Amino acid sequence: AQSVTQPDIHITVSEGASLELRCNYSYGATPYLFWYVQSPGQGLQLLLKYFSGDTLVQGIKGFEAEFKRSQSSFNLRKPSVHWSDAAEYFCAVGAPPNSGTYKYIFGTGTRLKVLA
Amino acid sequence: DTGVSQDPRHKITKRGQNVTFRCDPISEHNRLYWYRQTLGQGPEFLTYFQNEAQLEKSRLLSDRFSAERPKGSFSTLEIQRTEQGDSAMYLCAGKTADGNTIYFGEGSWLTVV
């Protein structure tokens, strides 16, 4: 079955520290991969995406993610966290064409807290 | 701006009442999704439209839920005989025909009391 796992429910880091949020997926083929961020009471904003090619992708707000096919992972990283990065982060997979489904599947999210 | 507008942003209703949410994507988003998100969870897929055709539905979309996209532009999600378990945020997302990314609106919060 298709699934997305974000093993860390909560993460707390100090401002200026580095960050890595984990994401593992289970899918028959290599899906499209995404990271979204959500502030309280708001919709989801796209941070970055991977479809093919270079396995290290850059996104907005200084975030990057690395696709590792052998580990079925797509971890999100940021070298220096800012207080404004405190939010909830969702990893998602999207079905490639002709896969028999159109839905995008989301993980349960990782809530990031940033200490001043 | 993602190009997806949702209305209302918040709705409080009494159990047993019917509610309707509306989603207005930009014209380029001929693909449209509805998701539901409860507190502490990720978005859960409800249904997908390609233009006016509803091509995929989740088992979460019980017979009390109905979604329409009559002219392939705006969409509505109706919940009949609301239950407290329906309290959640209902998210709409749009996608272009040749794109692979879905863009979300701000969501509609439903509280059933």
Side-chain angles (χ1 to χ4, degrees):
Chain A
Q2 304 151 354
S3 66
V4 177
T5 301
Q6 294 182 246
D8 304 304
I9 298 174
H10 297 279
I11 283 186
T12 300
V13 298
S14 297
E15 191 171 20
S18 63
L19 172 70
E20 182 169 28
L21 303 183
R22 296 182 290 165
C23 173
N24 291 92
Y25 66 89
S26 174
Y27 211 90
T30 298
Y32 300 138
L33 296 161
F34 306 86
W35 277 97
Y36 288 84
V37 61
Q38 185 179 37
S39 298
Q42 302 298 312
L44 281 76
Q45 180 184 19
L46 178 71
L47 280 178
L48 47 76
K49 57 193 175 186
Y50 172 79
F51 300 148
S52 64
D54 191 346
T55 57
L56 184 65
V57 294
Q58 303 297 319
I60 62 171
K61 304 184 181 187
F63 285 92
E64 67 178 25
E66 185 172 14
F67 168 60
K68 293 186 177 180
R69 184 189 305 274
S70 61
Q71 298 176 20
S72 297
S73 69
F74 188 56
N75 294 348
L76 182 71
R77 300 194 294 249
K78 187 170 185 178
S80 178
V81 169
H82 188 262
W83 64 267
S84 60
D85 293 326
E88 188 137 25
Y89 292 80
F90 293 95
C91 181
V93 299
N98 305 313
S99 61
T101 180
Y102 301 97
K103 61 184 172 185
Y104 290 64
I105 300 171
F106 287 77
T108 52
T110 297
R111 181 168 296 277
L112 174 65
K113 182 177 180 180
V114 180
L115 301 176
Chain B
D1 184 6
T2 63
V4 180
S5 301
Q6 293 189 242
D7 184 70
R9 292 292 316 281
H10 299 90
K11 178 74 175 178
I12 300 174
T13 191
K14 292 183 178 179
R15 188 176 53 185
Q17 298 294 304
N18 299 343
V19 296
T20 300
F21 299 110
R22 179 180 169 119
C23 174
D24 283 274
I26 56 176
S27 59
E28 291 84 355
H29 288 170
N30 59 355
R31 272 72 164 155
L32 186 144
Y33 292 79
W34 283 100
Y35 279 79
R36 181 176 73 182
Q37 185 181 23
T38 52
L39 284 175
Q41 298 297 314
E44 297 173 292
F45 171 78
L46 290 178
T47 191
Y48 165 77
F49 287 88
Q50 187 168 303
N51 297 309
E52 67 276 8
Q54 188 175 24
L55 296 187
E56 191 169 356
K57 292 196 296 185
S58 164
R59 284 173 291 178
L60 290 175
L61 213 65
S62 74
D63 57 1
R64 294 186 300 107
F65 288 69
S66 63
E68 295 182 341
R69 197 181 186 199
K71 297 181 180 179
S73 55
F74 73 92
S75 176
T76 58
L77 177 69
E78 182 183 18
I79 309 174
Q80 295 181 328
R81 304 181 303 280
T82 52
E83 302 173 355
Q84 286 189 319
D86 297 331
S87 295
M89 183 158 70
Y90 292 86
L91 291 158
C92 178
K95 187 170 84 71
T96 60
D98 58 353
N100 300 312
T101 303
I102 58 174
Y103 295 94
F104 285 90
E106 292 294 309
S108 293
W109 275 105
L110 173 64
T111 302
V112 181
V113 297

